[in-house]
Every structure is written in structure tokens, then in C-alpha cells.
Amino acid sequence: MTNAPAAFVQALHKQSINCESQDCSGSVEVTDISQQADRVKSFRLACGSCHWERTITGCPQIEPPWDEGSLMEITEEHLLHLEPVCPYDQAPVQFHSLPNPRRRARYRITCWYCGRQEELDWPPEEAKR
């Protein structure tokens, strides 16, 4: 289990990133170079001052999948308006609303660092009883 690099998390949040070159303190331009079908994100970092460049990419590892306890923790954090994180790498996870013809809420939860995804209905069946 490894934590997602800080630069990767900053790029996901669209936060400013400082140049990593020794004698430069310029700000870095971040470009999302991921393809639509990619399970992990890739970012190109480029400093306009010193021409330093770097590419950072998530580390695909979809096994083991999230267990029920992890999914409940992620959804509870989301419902409490906290930032849910992947229990395997501490990278932020995103909730994507999916179309559902039965008018029920359906979501895809994605970790852009490790590539784990899960689709679930909300509220879960056990909450309806």
C-alpha cells in the first residue's frame, strides 16, 4: 500500500504546484493528458521559467476491490461533505452520477490513482427495510 504522491493529489484538485528544479521557484502548468477510457489519470507538469518537465501517472492496481466496509466509509464521508479517500492509497475518490431509467440514484465511485471503480445504487437495498 503506497500513498498517492502529493503532486498527483494537487493536480487532481487543480491546485498550484511549484517547480521541483533546484534553482527555480516558478509555477508549473498542469495538463491532464489522460485518455477518456483510462482508469488512472496522467498529468504533464511543465515549468515555463526553466523548462523543467515531468509526467505523473496513477499506479493501476484494481485488486483487491473495495470491500463493503470501505465502500460504506467512502459513501459516509461523501454524505457528510468530507473528501472521501481511497483506503489503499489515500487519493481522493470521485462520485459520478450515472443515468438510471428507474429514477433511482446510481453512482460510479472512482479512484483516479489506483483505478478502482464501483457502481452502486443509492440508497442501498438494506436501507429501505
Side-chain angles (χ1 to χ4, degrees):
M1 182 164 93
T2 61
N3 285 350
F8 186 89
V9 175
Q10 288 174 296
L12 271 177
H13 286 301
K14 298 181 170 93
Q15 296 173 338
S16 65
I17 298 174
N18 291 328
C19 181
E20 293 179 8
S21 183
Q22 260 185 334
D23 299 326
C24 183
S25 60
S27 92
V28 171
E29 179 182 329
V30 178
T31 308
D32 185 348
I33 57 173
S34 309
Q35 300 298 314
Q36 182 85 19
D38 289 348
R39 287 189 76 131
V40 296
K41 291 270 188 188
S42 296
F43 298 99
R44 182 178 160 271
L45 310 177
C47 178
S49 301
C50 70
H51 306 292
W52 169 86
E53 283 190 23
R54 180 173 159 210
T55 300
I56 53 176
T57 303
C59 182
Q61 182 180 355
I62 58 174
E63 294 295 328
W66 291 317
D67 60 14
E68 287 298 316
S70 296
L71 284 172
M72 287 306 294
E73 186 176 331
I74 289 169
T75 55
E76 284 175 7
E77 288 172 346
H78 178 71
L79 290 172
L80 293 171
H81 301 284
L82 301 172
E83 181 175 60
V85 295
C86 177
Y88 292 104
D89 52 41
Q90 302 305 302
V93 297
Q94 292 182 334
F95 279 69
H96 306 277
S97 182
L98 299 173
N100 192 337
R102 293 187 214 119
R103 300 278 188 217
R104 297 177 57 212
R106 185 153 178 81
Y107 295 94
R108 177 181 299 130
I109 305 169
T110 304
C111 176
W112 291 114
Y113 186 73
C114 68
R116 287 178 175 86
Q117 291 182 347
E118 186 72 35
E119 290 185 13
L120 55 97
D121 293 323
W122 196 259
E125 288 295 324
E126 55 271 10
K128 297 177 188 176
R129 296 178 189 158

